[in-house]
Amino acid sequence: MADAAAPAVDTASEVVAASAVAAAAEVDVVIATRGRPELLARALAAVRTQDHPGVVRTWVVFDQGPMDPAVTDQDPRRPVTALANTRTPGLAGARNSGIAAGRAPWVAFCDDDDRWLPNKLTAQLAELARTGAPTSVTGIVVAYGDTRTERVATSSELTLANLVRHRVMAAHPSTVVVAREALEGPIGLVDEEIPGSHGEDYDWIIRAARHAGFAVVEQPLVEVTWGQSLFSQRWATIVAATDYWLDKHPEFRADRHALARLSGQRAFALAAMRSPEVWPAIRQTLRCRPAERRTALALAVALRLVSAERLMDLAHRHGRGI
């Protein structure tokens, strides 16, 4: 399937008119949370201080835990509503619960451990107006311990083909702003069938790229906190989710580099689990692409030369994953 290109707004008058609409646009922000009140407070503060002049309504979805009504705020410009996840337990169901609660024409996501810079929404809505694309992403700053690493993707990197071959970390869910009609229509909601909701963001980004591409703001406008993830070391879930992606998206099997990458990640997780299945997984990765670097990482972990946690720590300090 060919990569979708974001449509462009043609004339200067159309740009001016679209920009005026963007400046007044209402936005629903969905924050799924579970047991991290201090981080949630920081995320909410960053949403409140957005310089976008329109109404920004935040839906805080409490997943698999007690709901805290104290987060509710009746500020007419920055209202906050607390609600429970009424769908599938987990991040995917929580995101979809928040989407369903809102009605604004634009929907944005923010993880509870991330923080928006003040001009994020303004910059994205302007770029969405300029291009006519249904979805926008920005760059990020990866915060891991005492390190800060900027990851900013370009428009050319966010094609379907490149996103399949390389999991572009800068295309992070906390940067997404999407038109509700596209989210509830051709792109679709977050997939609640993915095991453990692991990588639900990557699955969704693939579908968004397949639909119509992105309006990319090439600036790091979200600070993404690593090391807090509930999924980062749930190895069995990672294996199951990887198998799910391979069955769902034919693009992965059509690209040997992409298949090798996912096979290598799967082998690494199996090695971390001390599973005997790691050896056929390593052989499969080698058959796909002998130069795939994750083969060596999985082998080192399987042979107990280094721990999976140590390798992940080293990767995260450089703003990367395995």
Side-chain angles (χ1 to χ4, degrees):
M1 183 178 294
D3 294 331
V9 177
D10 293 325
T11 68
S13 61
E14 287 177 320
V15 170
V16 171
S19 297
V21 171
E26 292 193 11
V27 181
D28 282 325
V29 182
V30 177
I31 302 180
T33 190
R34 183 181 177 187
R36 302 197 284 199
E38 296 84 4
L39 291 169
L40 173 61
R42 186 186 69 168
L44 285 171
V47 173
R48 288 190 186 99
T49 56
Q50 290 296 296
D51 61 13
H52 173 59
V55 174
V56 180
R57 181 176 287 100
T58 303
W59 304 91
V60 180
V61 186
F62 289 85
D63 178 46
Q64 303 176 72
M67 187 171 66
D68 180 8
V71 304
T72 300
D73 192 332
Q74 301 302 325
D75 181 339
R77 290 188 62 251
R78 298 291 184 264
V80 179
T81 302
L83 65 154
N85 178 10
T86 58
R87 298 173 66 107
T88 306
L91 183 54
R95 288 201 206 277
N96 287 339
S97 291
I99 294 166
R103 62 183 183 277
W106 296 100
V107 179
F109 301 121
C110 185
D111 289 350
D112 63 357
D113 55 348
D114 297 337
R115 183 177 66 88
W116 289 357
L117 272 63
N119 62 326
K120 174 190 181 291
L121 285 180
T122 298
Q124 287 185 275
L125 290 167
E127 189 65 8
L128 285 161
R130 187 186 71 81
T131 63
T135 307
S136 175
V137 295
T138 78
I140 61 176
V141 177
V142 177
Y144 180 71
D146 58 355
T147 65
R148 298 290 185 276
T149 307
E150 289 191 4
R151 301 292 299 276
V152 179
T154 63
S155 298
S156 62
E157 292 179 280
L158 294 180
T159 63
L160 176 59
N162 196 60
L163 284 164
V164 166
R165 178 167 289 195
H166 307 284
R167 183 168 182 173
V168 181
M169 301 304 295
H172 190 277
S174 290
T175 76
V176 167
V177 176
V178 58
R180 180 176 291 276
E181 63 180 4
L183 175 59
E184 294 180 343
I187 297 175
L189 299 178
V190 184
D191 186 346
E192 297 179 33
E193 299 298 319
I194 297 176
S197 288
H198 178 75
E200 42 73 41
D201 54 329
Y202 183 42
D203 169 82
W204 190 89
I205 286 288
I206 290 290
R207 287 186 279 132
R210 188 185 291 144
H211 167 56
F214 306 93
V216 182
V217 178
E218 296 180 11
Q219 302 173 47
L221 297 181
V222 178
E223 183 179 276
V224 172
T225 304
W226 281 10
Q228 302 286 340
S229 173
L230 298 175
F231 308 116
S232 61
Q233 295 180 22
R234 293 187 180 178
W235 305 117
T237 300
I238 291 171
V239 172
T242 303
D243 290 342
Y244 182 91
W245 298 339
L246 288 169
D247 288 340
K248 179 177 180 179
H249 298 291
E251 293 93 342
F252 289 128
R253 293 192 183 278
D255 184 323
R256 293 187 69 82
H257 285 254
L259 184 58
R261 175 174 64 82
L262 291 181
S263 296
Q265 290 172 347
R266 187 177 184 277
F268 184 87
L270 289 167
M273 294 165 59
R274 307 297 185 202
S275 170
E277 295 179 24
V278 66
W279 302 110
I282 286 174
R283 288 194 292 272
Q284 179 185 7
T285 307
L286 283 169
R287 285 195 297 271
C288 289
R289 183 170 177 255
E292 171 55 51
R293 66 181 179 84
R294 292 167 185 82
T295 307
L297 299 179
L299 186 61
V301 173
L303 294 173
R304 304 194 182 190
L305 301 177
V306 64
S307 71
E309 291 76 16
R310 175 57 177 161
L311 290 176
M312 289 185 65
D313 176 69
L314 290 171
H316 288 353
R317 288 186 181 279
H318 292 87
R320 298 185 178 280
I322 297 296

